[in-house]
Amino acid sequence: MKKQELRDLVVAQARNPNRQALYLACSSSGMRSGEALHIKKKDLDLSLDRITIRINAEYTKTKAGRTTFVSKECGEKIMTYLHRLDDDDYVFTNSTGDFKTRGRAEQMALASALERLGFNEKYSSNGFYKITSHSFRAYFFTLATRKHDENYAHKMTGHGGYLMQYDRMDDKKKLEMYLELEPDLVVFDQTKNEIKIKKLQRENESIEQLRDEIQKLREVQAQYDKNIIQNLKNEGVIIE
């Protein structure tokens, strides 16, 4: 799936922010749509710069739980309605019923959007749309592989046995890797520009901090030199 197609699909769901967030979440985190449809408000962690999602093992294909992040633009969409949800409410769907019912509702909504947008090309062998719910996850996998490597992409999308060192990273380091990837994932140019501006601000802050540290080192060195000269004077080595 191309970025423009993803953008159009998100825009087409303007009346359903939960579904917009679903598309942005799967394409920016690598979650399976089935995993995303199980996510409840209590599974979100808002303490970091990006929303962290805890995916419970019982809802994953590999039966191994994991954490992942969603992009800034996805987080902003979630925050427009999160305050209305209780802890046990689903985040990415407002459909009622069991999991199969929710899944069918999303499949029908996606098919309808594909037809309206003209993205209705199908495989001749089976009649399936070429863009499916899996396409959002594949979008993430492709870009994650390009930015980091295939092991990272496999791990983030929930494939077992990959990049074990990633599991040993703390959340801060994991977020650093994600933020390096995020500019490639975002769908809307405004968000991408905001991320670039934020990055430049952080870099400028780092430069200012470095300048302050250099100035402090110079002051320490100057005081050290002054003390040496004074000691030499006291010992009569230097006569004024």
Side-chain angles (χ1 to χ4, degrees):
M1 179 163 55
K2 299 176 182 178
K3 189 182 292 285
Q4 183 62 54
E5 292 170 332
L6 173 56
R7 183 186 298 121
D8 289 347
L9 283 168
V10 173
V11 172
Q13 302 297 338
R15 295 184 178 181
N16 192 322
N18 300 70
R19 188 167 291 135
Q20 287 184 310
L22 172 66
Y23 294 173
L24 291 171
C26 291
S27 60
S28 70
S29 72
M31 280 192 294
R32 298 175 176 88
S33 60
E35 294 170 342
L37 292 177
H38 278 105
I39 299 301
K40 297 180 179 180
K41 181 178 179 179
K42 63 184 179 182
D43 298 320
L44 304 186
D45 181 353
L46 309 182
S47 64
L48 298 176
D49 285 346
R50 295 294 180 269
I51 292 178
T52 308
I53 297 179
R54 295 181 296 272
I55 307 173
N56 294 324
E58 61 183 307
Y59 302 130
T60 68
K61 186 176 181 179
T62 59
K63 300 304 177 184
R66 70 184 191 279
T67 60
T68 190
F69 305 100
V70 294
S71 65
K72 180 178 184 292
E73 60 191 4
C74 179
E76 290 174 347
K77 181 58 63 175
I78 291 172
M79 295 307 293
T80 63
Y81 61 85
L82 190 66
H83 63 282
R84 298 195 296 269
L85 303 182
D86 294 327
D87 283 348
D88 284 320
D89 286 340
Y90 294 109
V91 175
F92 297 113
T93 179
N94 51 18
S95 300
T96 57
D98 59 16
F99 172 69
K100 289 185 178 180
T101 301
R102 299 196 305 274
R104 283 196 297 270
E106 294 307 323
Q107 288 178 349
M108 292 173 62
L110 178 58
S112 176
L114 292 174
E115 290 292 338
R116 294 199 311 273
L117 294 170
F119 301 157
N120 52 359
E121 188 175 357
K122 298 180 179 181
Y123 292 104
S124 58
S125 59
N126 54 24
F128 292 167
Y129 288 107
K130 289 191 174 182
I131 294 179
T132 67
S133 59
H134 177 73
S135 301
F136 298 97
R137 190 161 172 261
Y139 172 88
F140 173 88
F141 185 91
T142 299
L143 295 176
T145 300
R146 290 176 184 171
K147 174 59 66 174
H148 293 303
D149 56 37
E150 192 168 320
N151 282 333
Y152 173 83
H154 278 298
K155 188 61 184 177
M156 289 294 286
T157 52
H159 295 165
Y162 294 92
L163 201 64
M164 291 300 102
Q165 64 266 32
Y166 182 81
D167 291 330
R168 294 190 289 270
M169 295 179 188
D170 59 24
D171 287 341
K172 183 178 179 181
K173 182 59 180 177
K174 290 179 182 178
L175 181 58
E176 286 178 4
M177 291 187 71
Y178 182 81
L179 291 177
E180 291 176 8
L181 168 63
E182 185 183 31
D184 298 334
L185 298 172
V186 294
V187 176
F188 297 100
D189 291 337
Q190 180 179 352
T191 305
K192 191 168 186 176
N193 291 336
E194 289 173 356
I195 291 172
K196 287 181 178 179
I197 291 172
K198 187 68 174 179
K199 182 180 179 182
L200 289 173
Q201 289 174 339
R202 287 197 301 267
E203 291 174 351
N204 287 336
E205 289 173 0
S206 297
I207 292 173
E208 290 300 322
Q209 290 174 356
L210 181 59
R211 287 174 178 169
D212 290 341
E213 291 175 4
I214 291 173
Q215 181 60 33
K216 289 178 181 178
L217 288 173
R218 286 174 176 169
E219 292 173 358
V220 170
Q221 184 64 46
Q223 185 61 47
Y224 178 75
D225 293 343
K226 183 178 180 180
N227 291 340
I228 290 178
I229 292 173
Q230 186 61 49
N231 289 336
L232 292 174
K233 287 180 180 179
N234 293 339
E235 294 172 2
V237 176
I238 297 177
I239 301 175
E240 294 183 294

